[in-house]
Amino acid sequence: MISIAKKETPKELEKLVKDSKNYRYQKVVEKIKNDFNNKCYLCEIKESTSINVEHFIPHRDDEELKFKWSNLYFACSHCNGIKGYRYDDILDPLTDDIELKIQCLMDLVPMAKVDIVALKNDIKTENTVKLLDEIFNKDSDIAGVRTEESRNLRKKVLDELRSFTNALNVYYFEEDFEEDRIQARKEIIKHLRCKSQFTAFKRSLVRRNELIYEEFKEEFTK
Ligand SMILES: [Zn+2]
């Protein structure tokens, strides 16, 4: 989960959703998808095949909340299912500086669990850490499907982190192959931008290394 730049409310679509009590129109979903960079705002999987329009504040059948444009977020069905009604007081990626409050870490070994670390001790941060931990590390006998989904998700994070650290290795160590270094630098930048998949993990890794952070911190706002 990273911070996302807030977009202007599209007045026409806002009215359409409210008047028709329906947010499933293609143009509505497409706008929300683009506003959230085609990523689940919680786990940051990109171009998921199972997407949901998610209610940031659970609507509990309150029609005002259910069809309010500013309450419609973009999530994958795994995260939407886990968040449900249980997490109604979490950090908001559109207004909170998520990356200064939460670190997302993972060891680069098979079967590693994800380590979500709170950097602040307010209630919203703590709830968000709990939710993200459940999303990435679900391990429950009575929730077998979610457990498998979490495992698949961790595998994808691991693949992405491997590709990112490979680019870092080439950039910092391949001194004899300048062209490869130039290409690796471009890859690092792409990995760190908000449209990339699982950006929180890559940015958390970079923040822990002063030298790399100094060189690439400008990409954190793009
Ligand atoms: Zn997700």
Side-chain angles (χ1 to χ4, degrees), residues 145-193:
V145 171
R146 296 279 180 242
T147 298
E148 289 301 323
E149 285 173 348
S150 288
R151 194 170 293 159
N152 292 343
L153 196 54
R154 289 200 300 279
K155 167 87 171 49
K156 286 183 198 298
V157 174
L158 194 60
D159 287 345
E160 188 77 5
L161 281 175
R162 283 217 177 98
S163 150
F164 178 57
T165 50
N166 276 344
L168 285 171
N169 283 336
V170 171
Y171 180 63
Y172 283 104
F173 294 126
E174 286 284 8
E175 290 169 355
D176 298 334
F177 299 96
E178 192 52 25
E179 268 179 31
D180 290 352
R181 289 192 66 230
I182 292 168
Q183 183 56 34
R185 191 169 204 284
K186 282 185 193 156
E187 281 171 36
I188 294 168
I189 288 171
K190 213 169 144 194
H191 272 299
L192 290 172
R193 292 200 169 161

Side-chain angles (χ1 to χ4, degrees), residues 197-211:
Q197 183 163 240
F198 309 124
T199 321
F201 288 88
K202 295 178 273 187
R203 290 185 181 176
S204 292
L205 200 67
V206 168
R207 277 181 195 276
R208 286 153 68 90
N209 184 299
E210 214 175 310
L211 186 125

